[in-house]
Amino acid sequence: MQLQRFVDALKADLTAVAELGDEATADAATRLVVTLQASIGLRLLDALSEAALELTDRLPSGHVEVRLAGQDPELIFVGDEPETAPAAAEDGHTARISLRLPEALKTAVESAAAREGVSVNTWIVRALTRSTTSGTTVQSGNRLQGWARS
């Protein structure tokens, strides 16, 4: 999806409305449109992100992500990963740990688990399994290399 097309349409609309006034109004509107251009693009991305969250809430499985290719966003459906048992569970034994989380993080984890329709424990086990078996992340200086998921 090309956001620039929508930004340009909004600029044209604002310019057309401003031309109804005198020359000073048209000049002020032109300066305002140039100033708002970046903000308009960010607001459209915000709207797409909220739409992706609403779609995800309505899906029986998987989730929708907004991915950027340059400045052009794409809505991508990501299916649930096949159920993978943690390495420790393969031998039939499980371990119990006590985990202390900041309240905000606990709430975020509970929300993520609810969106995926799984228990908090299952969500944490999946997240830990993905992070320990997937790609690696290396940080050197001010650069962060690796992969991310939102």
Side-chain angles (χ1 to χ4, degrees):
M1 171 185 308
Q2 296 178 347
L3 279 186
Q4 191 60 42
R5 177 172 63 122
F6 297 101
V7 172
D8 290 342
L10 284 170
K11 285 172 46 178
D13 292 345
L14 289 172
T15 302
V17 169
E19 289 175 355
L20 296 175
D22 60 3
E23 188 173 323
T25 303
D27 288 341
T30 300
R31 288 191 304 270
L32 186 60
V33 165
V34 170
T35 303
L36 288 175
Q37 184 171 354
S39 179
I40 291 169
L42 288 175
R43 296 298 177 195
L44 289 172
L45 280 175
D46 286 344
L48 286 174
S49 296
E50 284 201 26
L53 288 173
E54 287 182 20
L55 287 171
T56 296
D57 287 342
R58 289 176 172 78
L59 292 172
S61 65
H63 62 277
V64 177
E65 295 179 353
V66 178
R67 295 183 184 172
L68 290 176
Q71 292 187 2
D72 295 328
E74 294 180 20
L75 294 174
I76 306 292
F77 173 76
V78 179
D80 285 336
E81 294 177 7
E83 189 70 33
T84 57
E90 289 176 4
D91 61 6
H93 301 293
T94 59
R96 179 177 287 263
I97 63 170
S98 187
L99 179 64
R100 290 181 179 84
L101 300 173
E103 189 62 36
L105 179 57
K106 178 182 177 281
T107 303
V109 168
E110 289 171 340
S111 296
R115 273 195 309 272
E116 293 184 24
V118 297
S119 69
V120 170
N121 186 70
T122 300
W123 189 91
I124 290 173
V125 169
R126 286 181 184 174
L128 290 172
T129 301
R130 282 191 303 263
S131 69
T132 58
T133 59
S134 301
T136 58
T137 302
V138 177
Q139 185 169 0
S140 59
N142 291 334
R143 296 189 66 150
L144 180 64
Q145 299 175 342
W147 60 274
R149 182 182 207 175
S150 66

